[in-house]
Amino acid sequence: MSRIDVVVTGLGATTPLGGDVASTWDAMLAGRSGVSPLAQEWAAQLPVRIAAQLAVDPTGLLDRVKLRRLDRSEAIALIAAHQAWSDAGLADSGLDPERLGVSVGSGIGGALTLLAQDDILETSGPRRVSPHTIPMLMPNGPAAWVGLELGARAGVHSVASACATGAEAIALGLDMIRAGRADVVVAGGTEAVIHPLPIAGFSSMRAMSTRNDEPERASRPWDKGRDGFVLGEGAGVIVLERADHAAARGARVYARLAGAGLTSDGFDIVQPHPEGAGAIRAIAKAISDADVAKSDIVHVNAHATSTPVGDLAEITALRAALGDHPVLTATKSMSGHLLGAAGALESIATILAIRDGVVPPTINLDDPDDGLTLDVATNKARHMDVPAALNNSFGFGGHNVALVFTRP
Amino acid sequence: MTRDEITAGLAEILEEVAGVNPDDVAEGKSFTDDLDVDSLSMVEVVVAAEEKFGVKIPDNEVQNLKTVGDAVSYIEAQS
């Protein structure tokens, strides 16, 4: 059976490292951290007072009246989606809207809106609650706005699988094109929950780094001194396109999305399986789906969030699923953890590693954990040929998503 | 408060919540057809007008306020 090939023809992002893909990628290759102290007054009472905040605030980029109707997660999804759309050169391509789909998810949704409007409810009463509250906080809001602005009519979808959301949204886009439901899918993730409540919640789980005095050194995957993840905000969106559709319009192709593997642990609501059983199956499914050999995967953009348990469980899974040859990196050491956008941003980094033949560094890896038994591009970008690479994303709830990208 | 002052107050609200150019706001203009104020923004306009002019505008009255002039007359009668 001949299978429909799917390629990546556009990239867009707004992240703690830059307001677009080029500046984000430059910052990654330079090993810069996007983590900074939280200057907001509310942060003073929190155990965690650092975060990876957007490098370019979206409020200066969008119309003031429009912003009244957009949750921050929706605003940045729109910014990233418009970048990707324009990058793909689809704006005046005559694409049939009924062949254009959207798959954009968020891990937590419009929490900033929910909490701000709850404050208004408490202080001023129900009549003052904004009529835009529901479309701003609904989890499908970012996807719906992207679909609305791009005129997508082949279906607008919003998966939610916590920190695997961005990758799962991309996998759904792949499925949509393979199943013949769309020729082009705008896919990715968005997250904007830098607010005391989510921070307090993650802190109570003891999941976050409290290295408040050294923000830029707080996110340190696989380092012995790691003490949790650093919360980040941002959005990443890519344009997936049927390969023959892209070829027919002479589109520039970054990479192929060759395969995806999705599994669930069925083990614990937040703890990863200690042997990474679900992750191993996801990686195996992805490389089988991509029809590549284990040895072809020379680079992995790991999920590696800088938590004591998760970082090593992933090493165990990668060794079991791929062997000991791939060169790893954990770009969360620089970007922080973008939750529902993480898989999308890291897919972009994986795609650009293939395009440019360079693996971005894992910074702050000063004293590697004894359990780190694979090669990592430590503290400096590593130039190497990358014909095929894997991106892992795992989420609370036991979601495991592995994506294989290859050179077109 | 004169009708002109109420119109000017409404224009400020319309600019804030719906991005309407204040120069376009006049008594004869329809909120939806001329000023492009959609139903959700109209809710915001009403709540802001209640606060600004110290009046109550019940939901069943809002449907009768088709034009800026309708709103000015209602506010004028209430205040």
Side-chain angles (χ1 to χ4, degrees):
Chain A
M1 190 184 84
S2 72
R3 186 141 76 186
I4 291 171
D5 246 355
V6 175
V7 295
V8 179
T9 55
L11 304 177
T14 181
T15 77
L17 297 170
D20 58 16
V21 169
S23 55
T24 297
W25 184 234
D26 285 350
M28 278 188 183
L29 294 182
R32 282 208 290 278
S33 169
V35 183
S36 59
L38 284 168
Q40 295 88 331
E41 204 175 307
W42 50 255
Q45 54 159 343
L46 294 170
V48 172
R49 297 182 294 280
I50 52 174
Q53 302 166 88
L54 283 168
V56 177
D57 196 89
T59 51
L61 300 175
L62 294 171
D63 173 69
R64 180 187 62 79
V65 172
K66 189 169 172 181
L67 277 168
R68 292 173 66 88
R69 299 173 163 235
L70 296 173
D71 182 75
R72 188 170 172 90
S73 65
E74 296 173 335
I76 60 178
L78 278 176
I79 289 168
H82 280 294
Q83 288 174 4
W85 186 247
S86 148
D87 188 43
L90 281 160
D92 302 306
S93 68
L95 174 66
D96 177 359
E98 295 188 8
R99 302 298 300 161
L100 170 64
V102 171
S103 172
V104 173
S106 162
I108 296 187
L112 295 184
T113 293
L114 178 70
L115 292 161
Q117 293 299 321
D118 185 59
D119 287 346
I120 290 171
L121 174 67
E122 296 293 331
T123 55
S124 307
R127 204 168 159 76
R128 296 294 171 81
V129 171
S130 167
H132 306 299
T133 301
I134 302 301
M136 287 171 74
L137 68 79
M138 63 191 193
N140 58 314
W145 271 110
V146 171
L148 185 65
E149 296 220 339
L150 299 182
R153 303 216 166 118
V156 167
H157 308 285
S158 44
V159 303
S161 47
C163 307
T165 298
E168 185 170 342
I170 290 169
L172 175 62
L174 175 67
D175 285 348
M176 288 172 74
I177 296 174
R178 281 179 175 172
R181 300 206 303 274
D183 294 329
V184 176
V185 177
V186 175
T190 184
E191 203 78 70
V193 292
I194 296 179
H195 177 284
L197 186 79
I199 292 174
F202 282 121
S203 291
S204 293
M205 298 175 83
R206 306 294 187 265
M208 297 182 84
S209 173
T210 55
R211 197 180 287 264
N212 294 311
D213 298 333
E214 295 180 294
E216 298 189 348
R217 295 167 53 81
S219 186
R220 40 199 313 121
W222 301 306
D223 186 83
K224 273 184 186 156
R226 70 191 183 280
D227 68 334
F229 77 86
V230 174
L231 181 63
E233 59 177 352
V237 172
I238 69 177
V239 173
L240 299 174
E241 187 166 356
R242 221 182 61 220
D244 58 349
H245 189 277
R249 68 181 185 92
R252 177 262 334 268
V253 173
Y254 284 98
R256 263 178 84 223
L257 173 53
L262 291 83
T263 65
S264 47
D265 280 348
F267 172 74
D268 188 271
I269 193 68
V270 290
Q271 295 299 329
H273 188 279
E275 283 95 47
I280 293 169
R281 286 187 298 117
I283 298 165
K285 279 171 186 286
I287 57 179
S288 157
D289 187 41
D291 200 19
V292 297
K294 291 178 189 181
S295 56
D296 293 335
I297 306 291
V298 296
H299 163 53
V300 178
N301 189 308
H303 185 63
T305 62
S306 184
T307 60
V309 177
D311 288 12
L312 292 187
E314 185 174 11
I315 295 296
T316 305
L318 284 169
R319 287 191 73 89
L322 292 178
D324 59 7
H325 65 279
V327 175
L328 273 50
T329 196
T331 44
K332 288 187 184 81
S333 60
M334 299 174 283
S335 66
H337 189 354
L338 270 56
L339 308 182
L345 173 58
E346 288 147 28
S347 286
I348 291 169
T350 308
I351 291 161
L352 293 176
I354 291 170
R355 183 193 70 175
D356 292 351
V358 60
V359 171
T362 300
I363 64 167
N364 299 323
L365 185 44
D366 302 327
D367 188 9
D369 193 297
D370 297 335
L372 176 60
T373 55
L374 291 170
D375 187 9
V376 174
T378 303
N379 295 334
K380 254 181 35 201
R382 189 177 304 180
H383 291 269
M384 56 182 273
D385 189 35
V386 186
L390 179 83
N391 172 30
N392 277 344
S393 295
F394 313 125
F396 281 171
H399 310 273
N400 308 294
V401 181
L403 301 174
V404 171
F405 293 95
T406 65
R407 190 178 284 153
Chain B
M1 201 175 258
T2 67
R3 290 186 72 89
D4 281 352
E5 285 166 346
I6 296 172
T7 303
L10 285 172
E12 272 178 39
I13 293 170
L14 286 161
E15 184 184 26
E16 170 68 19
V17 309
V20 175
N21 182 343
D23 294 342
D24 293 343
V25 178
E27 290 208 19
K29 296 286 179 74
S30 154
F31 288 108
T32 51
D33 298 340
D34 299 324
L35 302 179
D36 254 348
V37 179
D38 67 16
S39 62
L40 294 186
S41 289
M42 196 62 200
V43 174
E44 288 190 284
V45 170
V46 166
V47 172
E50 286 184 335
E51 189 173 348
K52 191 176 197 89
F53 301 110
V55 297
K56 284 278 170 227
I57 310 175
D59 285 352
N60 59 5
E61 282 298 334
V62 174
Q63 59 191 340
N64 301 325
L65 308 181
K66 306 282 189 212
T67 64
V68 173
D70 295 340
V72 172
S73 298
Y74 187 86
I75 291 162
E76 191 178 34
Q78 297 291 309
S79 53

